[in-house]
Amino acid sequence: MEMVYQFFEKNQQRMISASGVIESNRYVSAFKKTLMNFSIPLLILSFILMLKTLKVIPANSLDLTAMLLFLLNHLALLFAGLLGFNFYRKDQKNFVLNWFFYMVFIILSHKLLGQRLILGSIVILLISDQIIRFFRRIKSMVDQWLSIPMNIVSNILITLYFSGIVVLWMWLCQQPMVQIGVNYVLNHLNIDSLWVVMIIVLLEMSIWFVGINGYGVMVPFVLPFAYDNLIQNFVAMNQGEAVRFIFTPNFWDYFLSISGSGVVLSLVILSYFSHKSEIRDLGKSAFSSAMLSVSEPMIYGVPLTMNRIFVIPFILGPALVGGFQWMVFNLGWVNKPRFFVADLPLPFSIFFATLDWRGIILGVVSIGLMTLIYYPFFKKYEKDYQEKVIDDTKYDDLDLDF
């Protein structure tokens, strides 16, 4: 335990600096903004599919199925458009040209990538941005050589450069070998496996442990795959097929992070039964936040960050429980998380994400397991905890009267 703590103590500043670099990155900022914009259409589609699954609306309606398929085929295109908009919007001078060029790439790639365009749009954004940056360097060099502004030459250069890139991209998208290669990569590029799930949780909790919001740092690396899985599950449900993927946004939000990162409701429960009044008060104040899957009151209130006692259960415990949850879903004991329910409180979020009452049982078992994992460390923390004692008599000698 001490060795693990010393590792984090030694590397805390490096991890904080790296997290700061990630958070300030313009690609990451654009992606996070896009996720917020994208939640509304996802909620609407999820609600319609939920009604269809519950047979509130006709499940065998060909018109409804066709309409949903059309929307699902263009949902990723909407995400791509929002991503480019949020990325280029700050450059007001060149916004229209840059965003138009990026969208040309997206539209040309839509047939090749289909619903997988969410992952593809991130790569296309990186490529198109580098192409635009390279063009600006060339244009700057040409302007210096010519010594005077040459609008006609600049316009010809812009037209030839971008037209050539577009034609080349169109040709590549039509090549059979490119299509086979892209499909192969997309089919094998997934986070829906036991070990990947556990690694993601370990990384998230490690970042939390040094005092940084681990979920926020991991979002740009994890949620593209989770949203890609969710849309593929939507398509399968619309066609009456079994859903394939477990790792969707709400699997991360309401199972891996049930009651918040670190499964803090387990600590809230233990705090309720503490014989230390301050610990009990902390547990009571954090209960409502935990039911909304907000973990900060417990993480920073105990605190769990850089805490020698909790380093092992806080980092390793959620990864083990997350692996257990993934296995339960993989074995088919509980419906896989298939709907997007945003910010519903527990236990409604668990139920509506799966439409399975057994999901609530899995949630209770997960909290119970984490309570057992936390228990011996919590008792150590409770034993060492020193309550603040207020001495009302220490100012008596001052003879104050007010």
Side-chain angles (χ1 to χ4, degrees):
M1 183 186 301
E2 187 62 26
M3 187 185 302
V4 175
Y5 178 82
Q6 288 177 359
F7 169 82
F8 283 105
E9 188 176 43
K10 180 180 179 181
N11 295 282
Q12 181 183 19
Q13 288 304 317
R14 295 176 186 173
M15 294 176 70
I16 291 174
S17 299
S19 299
V21 170
I22 293 172
E23 286 294 307
S24 61
N25 185 275
R26 57 198 296 254
Y27 296 102
V28 172
S29 299
F31 182 76
K32 287 189 173 183
K33 180 67 175 176
T34 303
L35 291 179
M36 290 188 287
N37 301 144
F38 197 55
S39 295
I40 296 175
L42 274 183
L43 279 170
I44 295 171
L45 271 173
S46 187
F47 181 68
I48 296 172
L49 285 167
M50 192 180 296
L51 293 178
K52 184 180 178 182
T53 302
L54 294 171
K55 299 182 180 178
V56 175
I57 54 179
N60 57 354
S61 171
L62 295 179
D63 291 338
L64 177 63
T65 301
M67 181 195 74
L68 286 173
L69 184 60
F70 174 82
L71 292 174
L72 290 168
N73 284 336
H74 292 81
L75 191 62
L77 190 62
L78 173 63
F79 178 90
L82 288 171
L83 180 63
F85 176 83
N86 288 321
F87 182 76
Y88 289 115
R89 61 188 292 187
K90 293 183 179 179
D91 185 4
Q92 296 181 357
K93 182 180 179 182
N94 301 300
F95 165 72
V96 174
L97 179 62
N98 293 344
W99 188 74
F100 175 77
F101 179 67
Y102 161 78
M103 286 306 299
V104 169
F105 272 75
I106 290 294
I107 293 170
L108 291 175
S109 307
H110 187 215
K111 184 177 179 181
L112 174 64
L113 298 172
Q115 292 102 2
R116 312 302 301 276
L117 190 61
I118 282 183
L119 292 176
S121 64
I122 298 171
V123 177
I124 292 170
L125 179 65
L126 294 171
I127 293 173
S128 64
D129 186 48
Q130 293 305 312
I131 290 172
I132 292 170
R133 287 170 179 266
F134 181 68
F135 168 77
R136 286 176 179 169
R137 287 197 293 268
I138 292 177
K139 184 176 181 300
S140 177
M141 292 170 60
V142 170
D143 288 344
Q144 288 179 0
W145 291 337
L146 295 175
S147 300
I148 57 175
M150 296 288 289
N151 291 331
I152 296 177
V153 174
S154 296
N155 290 334
I156 293 174
L157 184 63
I158 290 172
T159 303
L160 290 176
Y161 181 81
F162 287 111
S163 297
I165 296 293
V166 168
V167 170
L168 176 62
W169 192 265
M170 187 184 304
W171 179 80
L172 287 173
C173 290
Q174 294 175 347
Q175 298 307 302
M177 290 302 297
V178 172
Q179 295 174 359
I180 293 171
V182 168
N183 289 330
Y184 178 84
V185 171
L186 288 175
N187 288 334
H188 289 81
L189 193 65
N190 204 287
I191 60 174
D192 208 8
S193 70
L194 175 63
W195 296 112
V196 175
V197 166
M198 295 180 69
I199 290 170
I200 287 172
V201 179
L202 281 172
L203 288 173
E204 178 192 354
M205 300 315 301
S206 296
I207 297 169
W208 269 113
F209 187 73
V210 299
I212 302 295
N213 187 320
Y215 181 90
V217 174
M218 296 291 291
V219 155
F221 306 103
V222 176
L223 278 190
F225 297 96
Y227 275 94
D228 180 62
N229 290 344
L230 179 67
I231 291 178
Q232 291 187 72
N233 282 352
F234 280 178
V235 173
M237 283 190 291
N238 185 52
Q239 296 174 346
E241 301 172 358
V243 299
R244 291 175 51 201
F245 299 103
I246 299 168
F247 205 125
T248 57
N250 285 163
F251 172 65
W252 194 12
D253 293 340
Y254 299 125
F255 287 95
L256 296 181
S257 301
I258 183 171
S259 75
S261 299
V263 194
V264 295
L265 186 56
S266 299
L267 280 174
V268 170
I269 293 170
L270 291 172
S271 299
Y272 259 84
F273 297 97
S274 173
H275 62 270
K276 301 287 182 73
S277 61
E278 289 186 4
I279 297 179
R280 284 199 307 273
D281 292 341
L282 175 61
K284 291 175 183 178
S285 65
F287 176 76
S288 58
S289 300
M291 295 303 290
L292 292 169
S293 296
V294 177
S295 55
E296 281 85 346
M298 284 303 287
I299 289 179
Y300 298 121
V302 172
L304 297 171
T305 57
M306 297 308 294
N307 190 319
R308 278 185 168 83
I309 296 174
F310 287 108
V311 59
I312 296 299
F314 183 64
I315 295 174
L316 187 59
L320 294 174
V321 172
F324 163 76
Q325 293 170 339
W326 189 91
M327 289 294 295
V328 169
F329 285 119
N330 192 51
L331 291 169
W333 294 350
V334 180
N335 286 347
K336 295 173 182 174
R338 60 194 65 199
F339 299 107
F340 184 77
V341 297
D343 299 318
L344 286 177
L346 297 172
F348 303 105
S349 54
I350 291 177
F351 176 76
F352 285 108
T354 60
L355 278 189
D356 189 348
W357 60 269
R358 295 171 297 182
I360 297 176
I361 295 177
L362 175 59
V364 172
V365 171
S366 300
I367 293 169
L369 289 173
M370 275 306 301
T371 302
L372 292 175
I373 292 172
Y374 274 129
Y375 180 76
F377 302 92
F378 177 82
K379 297 308 289 184
K380 169 65 174 171
Y381 162 76
E382 186 182 41
K383 180 181 177 182
D384 294 348
Y385 187 84
Q386 297 293 325
E387 292 193 285
K388 298 180 180 70
V389 179
I390 300 176
D391 184 3
D392 293 329
T393 65
K394 62 181 180 179
Y395 298 116
D396 287 353
D397 295 339
L398 298 177
D399 193 24
L400 297 176
D401 185 14
F402 54 91

